[in-house]
C-alpha cells in the first residue's frame, strides 16, 4: 500500500573541476510509515566518478540536513532507505580523492540541494498534509539542541493542528520549545511567523500587524522562526500540518 | 476555554495506625493543553495529619506512577498542577515521622490508587478520545527505559490512529519500540493485545485466534502488553486513541 499522491523527482547539474556532471534523484513515501506499509525510499544517481567513501561522506552530510531534518508525524519507518550510486559514465572529470577536495565543493552543494528538494517533496506529500512548514531555530546552545527544539516544534500535535487551523498560535510553539528539554531563555525568546515578529521577551509583540500574519497562515507555505536566546547555533527542519486527512489514512484504512 | 466533558473525582478511605482517614481528589484537564487554554489541574485533600515532607514524598512517588504516566498527545502544559493538602482535621492517628513508616504504608498505597484513578479519568476525557489504552512494557533494561518505551508507544500517532481504527497493528507497536532508542531484542519481543499473544520472536503468532483480539479492539478499554526481552524492568502508562475529534478541537477552534 502506498499513500503517495505524486511522483517525487529532482535533478541538479553541477561540475567537478570544470566538467559537467548530473545528479538525478527519485523518492517515494508520504510519512514515516509503519513497517507493514509503504516506506520512504530515495535513490540518487550521478554520472560522476567518485570513490565510495567520498560519495558516502557527501551523502551522510547531505542527509543530515535534508532527510534527517523532515518529519511528518514523528514516527519512523524501520526500512527508510536513501541510496546513492555514482556510475562514472560519461564524466571525465579530475579525480576526487576526498570529500574535502576543493573541486568537489560544488558537487557536494548540488547533492545537498537535490536531497533537500526531494525531502521537501516527501513532506509536501505527507499524509493529509495541506500546508508545508519550514521551522528555523536560532540562538540555541548547540546544533544538536537547535535540531531537537526544531523537531519538538515540528512534531507537536498542538502546533501541527494550530497550523492546520491557520492560527499563528505562538503559545503552543513556546510549549513545544519547553518540552524539548534543551536550554532556552523565555525572557529572550523571539518568534516570527511569515517574517513578522509576533512574540518577543516571552510575550506578544504589542500592536503588530495581524493582517499579514493571518494572510501568511492562510497560505500553504508556512515559515516559523524561533530564536531561543541562549547561544549561536541553528537548525532548519521541515514538516506539515496535522489534519483530518491523516486520521482518515491511518485510522480508517481497514474500513 | 476548557474541553473537559465530565467532572473528575476520586476518593479513598484508608487508615494510619488503625485510625480511619479519607483522601479526596479532583482534577480538570483533557489533554496536555497549551498554555493559553485549559490546563491540567488536580487537587488532593486529606484529613490525615502529615508533615509536609512526608506528604511531599508520598505525592512525588505516587505522581510518578500516575500523572507522570499518562499522555494524551505528548504535549505538555506549562502550568500543570498537582497539589495535595493534609488538614490534620478529624484524624487522631499515630504520628507519621517519615514516608517509610510502616503504619504509613496503607495511606501511601491509597494515595497512589487515588492519583491513578484521577489520572486515568483525565485520559478517558482526553480530547477526542474514544478508547482508553493501558500499555504495559516488561523485560526492559531499566525502569527508565521501560517508561520511555511505553511513552513512545503511547505517543505514536500511528499506534494511536490504529487503535482508533480498532486494528491490532503490532507492526506499528514494534516501530514505536524501535524509535524509543532503548535496548530491545526484536527476536525475543512479545506483544499481547487483550491478553492474547499476537506477536513473538519478531513475527506474528501463527494461527492465533483473531476473533477475541478483534472483539477486544472494538471495545473502549484496550490493553497492550509488550515484553522487549532484554531485562526485568517494567512500566505502565495510560493513553487514548487519536481521532477526528482531536483535530476538531485543536485545529478548528477558531472557526
Amino acid at each position: 500500500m502506498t499513500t503517495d499522491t505524486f511522483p517525487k523527482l529532482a535533478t541538479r547539474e553541477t561540475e567537478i573541476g570544470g566538467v559537467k556532471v548530473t545528479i538525478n534523484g527519485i523518492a517515494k513515501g508520504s510519512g514515516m510509515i509503519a513497517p507493514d506499509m509503504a516506506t520512504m525510499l530515495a535513490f540518487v544517481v550521478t554520472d560522476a566518478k567518485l570513490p565510495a567513501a567520498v560519495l558516502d561522506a557527501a551523502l551522510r552530510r547531505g542527509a543530515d540536513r535534508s532527510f534527517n531534518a523532515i518529519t511528518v508525524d514523528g514516527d519512523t519507518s524501520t526500512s527508510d532507505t536513501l541510496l546513492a550510486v555514482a556510475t562514472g559514465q560519461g564524466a571525465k572529470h579530475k579525480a576526487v580523492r576526498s570529500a574535502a577536495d576543493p573541486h568537489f565543493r560544488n558537487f557536494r552543494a548540488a547533492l545537498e540541494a537535490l536531497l533537500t528538494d526531494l525531502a521537501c517533496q516527501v513532506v509536501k506529500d505527507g499524509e493529509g498534509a495541506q500546508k508545508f512548514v519550514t521551522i528555523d531555530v536560532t540562538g540555541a546552545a548547540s546544533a544538536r539542541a537547535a535540531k531537537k527544539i526544531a523537531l519538538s516544534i515540528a512534531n507537536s500535535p498542538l502546533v501541527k493542528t494550530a497550523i492546520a487551523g491557520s492560527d499563528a498560535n505562538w503559545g503552543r510553539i513556546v510549549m513545544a520549545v519547553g518540552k524539548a528539554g534543551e536550554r532556552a531563555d523565555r525572557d529572550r525568546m523571539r518568534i516570527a511567523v511569515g517574517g513578522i515578529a509576533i512574540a518577543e521577551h516571552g510575550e506578544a509583540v504589542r500592536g503588530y500587524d495581524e493582517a499579514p500574519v493571518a494572510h501568511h497562515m492562510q497560505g500553504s507555505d508556512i515559515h516559523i522562526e524561533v530564536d531561543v536566546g541562549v547561544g549561536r547555533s541553528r537548525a532548519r527542519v521541515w514538516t506539515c500540518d496535522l489534519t483530518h486527512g491523516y486520521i482518515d489514512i491511518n485510522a480508517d484504512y481497514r474500513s
Side-chain angles (χ1 to χ4, degrees), chain A:
Chain A
M1 181 180 126
T2 173
T3 53
D4 286 55
T5 67
F6 59 80
K8 299 166 186 68
L9 312 164
T11 185
R12 291 292 185 284
E13 295 203 337
T14 181
E15 53 76 38
I16 299 179
V19 176
K20 194 189 93 167
V21 295
T22 305
I23 321 174
N24 288 317
I26 56 171
K28 78 166 291 300
S30 52
M32 302 303 175
I33 306 164
D36 55 341
M37 297 202 291
T39 53
M40 209 289 296
L41 302 173
F43 303 103
V44 175
V45 182
T46 178
D47 56 354
K49 187 169 181 179
L50 302 170
V54 168
L55 182 57
D56 185 63
L59 192 66
R60 281 177 194 278
R61 182 191 161 102
D64 248 16
R65 307 195 196 181
S66 57
F67 284 101
N68 290 334
I70 59 170
T71 178
V72 168
D73 50 18
D75 279 341
T76 51
S77 165
T78 50
S79 45
D80 289 342
T81 300
L82 167 61
L83 197 75
V85 178
T87 65
Q89 302 294 314
K92 296 202 162 109
H93 55 73
K94 204 170 153 187
V96 179
R97 311 246 176 249
S98 95
D101 275 1
H103 59 281
F104 187 56
R105 191 177 302 160
N106 285 341
F107 183 95
R108 248 188 13 201
L111 177 64
E112 187 178 321
L114 176 135
L115 293 173
T116 303
D117 186 341
L118 276 181
C120 289
Q121 289 185 52
V122 170
V123 170
K124 283 178 183 165
D125 200 17
E127 291 172 338
Q130 291 179 336
K131 291 170 194 278
F132 174 73
V133 186
T134 304
I135 298 171
D136 280 310
V137 169
T138 53
S142 68
R144 206 193 121 275
K147 193 160 180 180
K148 199 169 164 202
I149 293 167
L151 284 172
S152 178
I153 298 168
N155 282 324
S156 160
L158 287 174
V159 171
K160 292 165 90 77
T161 48
I163 293 168
S166 300
D167 184 24
N169 192 320
W170 64 270
R172 294 187 181 186
I173 295 170
V174 173
M175 174 281 299
V177 171
K179 78 168 181 161
E182 297 291 338
R183 275 180 58 217
D185 185 341
R186 197 185 56 182
D187 295 334
R188 306 181 92 191
M189 203 181 294
R190 187 180 163 283
I191 297 172
V193 169
I196 296 162
I198 61 170
E200 277 176 347
H201 312 302
E203 52 191 58
V205 173
R206 271 176 225 211
Y208 78 85
D209 192 355
E210 283 194 43
V213 173
H215 182 74
H216 179 78
M217 292 303 300
Q218 293 289 343
S220 59
D221 204 338
I222 308 298
H223 189 202
I224 295 173
E225 294 162 276
V226 181
D227 192 294
V228 297
V230 296
R232 299 172 58 105
S233 295
R234 58 171 60 226
R236 168 174 284 190
V237 306
W238 296 274
T239 191
C240 55
D241 54 347
L242 173 57
T243 69
H244 284 293
Y246 182 86
I247 310 286
D248 284 338
I249 292 168
N250 289 300
D252 309 337
Y253 53 94
R254 288 197 128 193
S255 49

